[in-house]
Amino acid sequence: MPAHFITFEGGEGVGKTTQISLLAERLKSELGVESVMTREPGGSARAEQLRELILSGAAEQYGPFAEAVLFNMARADHIAELIAPSLKAGKTVICDRFMDSTRVYQGVSGDLPSDIVLGLEQVAVGKTIPDLTLVLDIDAKTAMERAGARRGSEEADRFEKEALDIQAARRRAFRKLPETYPDRCVLINARGKEAAVSERVWKAVSERLYPDTAAIVPDAMAQLDQAVAELVSTEAES
Ligand code: TYD
């Protein structure tokens, strides 16, 4: 099986972390695919240090350009230390947020001009573009309630504190990704039970990245159904 680079994107509280674990389990159990789960900002020792700096709000005073630079510094290190070596070693990588988060958070809601966002991205990411990006989508109000419930009594981070209208603008920007990049991005309805969302994720992953398997599984199921039906009718006859 080839190694793939899969990213999950979406606003706060859309359930990315849970869906990443469920996908990793299913890749292993159904296809024997080992995956490396990671996240941004972070994923390598130096990038985790930058995560602290950014999410504490300490970098906010320097403005959106500095924040975008820091996210990309962290990303470049993450790619060099973990993502690229894992892919090279034949392991599939599943990353919680990646370059699209910078486009949306710093570009759309942070008001940074898109040529700067894309220029920084080009330097940091180069050719390490995801094979598949799953954009988890849920209305901003439900997502904020979920993020609040998940956080409990912990204080909201720099980006979680922002108002509902900004969250809604981000949602619109995330929803545009699959329209603009239909070959790379798939919109996943993240409403409903975890298991139902996980099915939607699996459908997208198997159809896009493992098309042979996606075709084989329903076929195998149909053959099994037929075999059972034949067995039952033979037993009924005897
Ligand atoms: P995190 O606690 O990982 O949030 P979540 O569970 O919602 O992914 O915090 C990451 C925060 O950083 C999140 O609010 C989005 C923001 N972010 C950016 O603004 N730009 C970026 O490039 C990335 C990767 C994250």
Side-chain angles (χ1 to χ4, degrees):
M1 292 274 179
H4 292 294
F5 182 23
I6 305 170
T7 57
F8 277 69
E9 297 280 3
E12 327 282 327
V14 291
K16 290 183 277 79
T17 315
T18 309
Q19 291 305 324
I20 286 172
S21 308
L22 293 172
L23 174 61
E25 277 169 27
R26 197 147 178 192
L27 280 170
K28 176 89 185 99
S29 64
E30 294 213 9
L31 304 176
V33 169
E34 292 285 352
S35 46
V36 174
M37 286 181 277
T38 185
R39 68 163 179 189
E40 290 212 343
S44 64
R46 281 184 291 260
E48 289 291 332
Q49 283 177 5
L50 289 169
R51 178 187 172 90
E52 290 291 315
L53 181 70
I54 305 165
L55 295 190
S56 68
E60 193 180 357
Q61 57 180 317
Y62 297 99
F65 175 70
E67 281 186 321
V69 169
L70 291 172
F71 276 116
N72 278 292
M73 272 171 69
R75 183 160 303 134
D77 194 72
H78 185 203
I79 292 171
E81 294 295 318
L82 184 74
I83 299 175
S86 302
L87 293 170
K88 207 168 168 206
K91 290 181 205 150
T92 282
V93 175
I94 313 177
C95 191
D96 188 340
R97 297 195 183 283
F98 195 63
M99 62 191 206
D100 296 300
S101 279
T102 313
R103 290 182 182 190
V104 170
Y105 281 77
Q106 281 63 54
V108 176
S109 50
D111 276 345
L112 201 61
S114 64
D115 56 339
I116 295 183
V117 173
L118 297 179
L120 288 171
E121 176 188 297
Q122 175 67 44
V123 175
V125 173
K127 293 202 176 106
T128 317
I129 293 172
D131 299 309
L132 179 64
T133 297
L134 299 150
V135 181
L136 268 51
D137 179 60
I138 203 167
D139 64 282
K141 189 165 170 285
T142 312
M144 271 182 94
E145 282 163 10
R146 276 201 202 169
R150 178 188 62 177
R151 192 169 62 238
S153 56
E154 262 183 50
E155 218 203 314
D157 75 30
R158 149 92 176 84
F159 297 96
E160 284 170 345
K161 281 184 185 143
E162 289 170 328
L164 204 59
D165 56 340
I166 298 185
Q167 311 272 0
R170 283 186 194 138
R171 182 190 184 203
R172 283 195 296 278
F174 275 123
R175 285 172 64 95
K176 266 205 195 129
L177 289 168
E179 285 170 25
T180 317
Y181 307 99
D183 290 346
R184 174 172 68 86
C185 303
V186 180
L187 191 72
I188 302 284
N189 171 7
R191 282 196 78 95
K193 297 221 164 70
E194 278 170 9
V197 180
S198 164
E199 257 335 294
R200 293 173 203 141
V201 168
W202 182 249
K203 188 170 181 298
V205 171
S206 52
E207 281 179 6
R208 295 282 185 123
L209 300 180
Y210 306 95
D212 297 346
T213 329
I216 290 166
V217 173
D219 247 32
M221 290 308 290
Q223 280 172 18
L224 195 67
D225 280 351
Q226 197 183 339
V228 171
E230 277 168 14
L231 200 68
V232 171
S233 66
T234 325
E235 271 180 13
E237 277 166 23
S238 59

